[in-house]
């Protein structure tokens, strides 16, 4: 019992430290980007990230926590149906995320007008919509690794997503914006790239699918 408590405490501490480090780096990178593109564009960038987070909550049905709970309960009962639970979780999350992807693609203009940003965000919203299935699958598998107490995999996934997203975004701000590329489309692409690469990482780590 003491071993499991110690393991949980270690995992919780590790996840907390990684989260704090990534949040700190995010603030630092936001400051750098703000100097390059101006506070107005950074405000819209924050709006895009917030919009993605909101749509993601609707699109994945909080599948990370649900999968983690179902898998941990299955393991605790001594049953061996974890693979079946993962298939159900992935099927549910994909169905929900694809539905919201289709809805976001069709309603991109409406959502753009609803944000009240005063600029056309329809194309960035459509790009963000394409990232929803990857984000849902990644969240589902991440929930599995949390359930089996392999927090280091989840930490690596978070770091990979953060790195891919911000490296592309910094490259875009420092190089592509000056060449006439739309900064808001590039921001949306950074989200898509980050979710796709982290999803590939989780799929490579998971042996149950």
């Amino acid at each position: 019992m003491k071993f499991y408590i110690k393991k949980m405490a270690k995992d919780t501490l590790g996840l907390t430290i990684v989260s704090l480090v990534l949040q700190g780096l995010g603030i630092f990178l936001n400051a750098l980007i703000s100097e390059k593109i101006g506070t107005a564009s950074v405000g819209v960038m924050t709006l895009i990230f917030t919009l993605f987070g909101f749509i993601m909550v609707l699109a994945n049905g909080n599948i990370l926590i649900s999968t983690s709970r179902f898998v941990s309960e299955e393991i605790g009962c001594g049953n061996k149906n974890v693979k079946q639970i993962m298939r159900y979780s992935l099927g549910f999350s994909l169905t929900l995320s694809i539905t919201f992807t289709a809805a976001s693609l069709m309603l991109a203009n409406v959502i753009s007008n609803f944000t009240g940003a005063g600029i056309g965000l329809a194309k960035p919203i459509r790009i963000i919509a394409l990232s929803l299935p990857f984000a849902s699958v990644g969240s589902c598998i991440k929930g599995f690794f949390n359930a089996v107490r392999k927090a280091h995999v989840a930490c690596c996934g978070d770091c990979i997503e953060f790195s891919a997203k911000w490296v592309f975004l910094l490259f875009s701000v420092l190089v592509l914006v000056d060449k006439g590329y739309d900064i808001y489309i590039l921001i949306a692409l950074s989200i898509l790239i980050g979710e796709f690469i982290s999803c590939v990482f989780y799929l490579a780590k998971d042996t149950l699918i």
Side-chain angles (χ1 to χ4, degrees), residues 68-87:
S68 183
R69 177 182 175 184
F70 290 143
V71 170
S72 61
E73 287 181 352
E74 187 71 14
I75 294 173
C77 293
N79 297 324
K80 303 298 182 181
N81 294 324
V82 175
K83 181 179 291 189
Q84 187 176 10
I85 289 175
M86 287 299 296
R87 287 175 178 171

Side-chain angles (χ1 to χ4, degrees), residues 72-131:
S72 61
E73 287 181 352
E74 187 71 14
I75 294 173
C77 293
N79 297 324
K80 303 298 182 181
N81 294 324
V82 175
K83 181 179 291 189
Q84 187 176 10
I85 289 175
M86 287 299 296
R87 287 175 178 171
Y88 286 150
S89 296
L90 284 168
F92 172 77
S93 63
L94 276 174
T95 300
L96 196 59
S97 61
I98 290 173
T99 299
F100 273 90
T101 295
S104 298
L105 290 174
M106 292 186 293
L107 300 175
N109 289 318
V110 176
I111 298 173
S112 176
N113 293 331
F114 181 75
T115 60
I119 57 174
L121 290 179
K123 289 183 179 179
I125 288 171
R126 290 190 176 98
I127 295 173
I128 289 175
L130 296 177
S131 70

Side-chain angles (χ1 to χ4, degrees), residues 6 17 32 72 81-82 101 133 138 162 185 189:
K6 184 178 180 180
I17 292 174
L32 289 180
S72 61
N81 294 324
V82 175
T101 295
F162 180 91
I185 291 179
L189 281 173

Side-chain angles (χ1 to χ4, degrees), residues 26-207:
I27 294 173
F28 174 71
L29 293 172
N30 263 315
L32 289 180
I33 292 174
S34 178
E35 293 181 2
K36 178 67 177 179
I37 63 177
T39 55
S41 295
V42 171
V44 177
M45 180 181 73
T46 303
L47 173 63
I48 292 174
F49 281 123
T50 303
L51 183 63
F52 168 74
F54 176 74
I55 296 176
M56 190 58 206
V57 170
L58 298 175
N60 74 358
N62 209 7
I63 197 66
L64 187 153
I65 295 176
S66 299
T67 302
S68 183
R69 177 182 175 184
F70 290 143
V71 170
S72 61
E73 287 181 352
E74 187 71 14
I75 294 173
C77 293
N79 297 324
K80 303 298 182 181
N81 294 324
V82 175
K83 181 179 291 189
Q84 187 176 10
I85 289 175
M86 287 299 296
R87 287 175 178 171
Y88 286 150
S89 296
L90 284 168
F92 172 77
S93 63
L94 276 174
T95 300
L96 196 59
S97 61
I98 290 173
T99 299
F100 273 90
T101 295
S104 298
L105 290 174
M106 292 186 293
L107 300 175
N109 289 318
V110 176
I111 298 173
S112 176
N113 293 331
F114 181 75
T115 60
I119 57 174
L121 290 179
K123 289 183 179 179
I125 288 171
R126 290 190 176 98
I127 295 173
I128 289 175
L130 296 177
S131 70
L132 295 179
F134 301 118
S136 291
V137 171
S139 294
C140 188
I141 302 175
K142 182 179 177 181
F144 162 76
F145 284 115
N146 285 337
V148 297
R149 295 189 298 275
K150 291 185 178 180
H152 65 282
V153 177
C155 285
C156 288
D158 288 341
C159 293
I160 288 172
E161 178 189 340
F162 180 91
S163 300
K165 184 183 299 181
W166 282 98
V167 165
F168 178 81
L169 192 54
L170 278 175
F171 173 76
S172 299
V173 170
L174 297 176
V175 178
L176 299 181
V177 171
D178 290 336
K179 295 183 178 181
Y181 289 88
D182 189 325
I183 180 60
Y184 306 124
I185 291 179
L186 294 173
I187 292 169
L189 281 173
S190 74
I191 295 175
L192 175 60
I193 290 171
E195 296 298 339
F196 173 76
I197 292 178
S198 64
C199 178
V200 171
F201 168 76
Y202 285 124
L203 286 171
K205 285 291 183 179
D206 191 7
T207 59

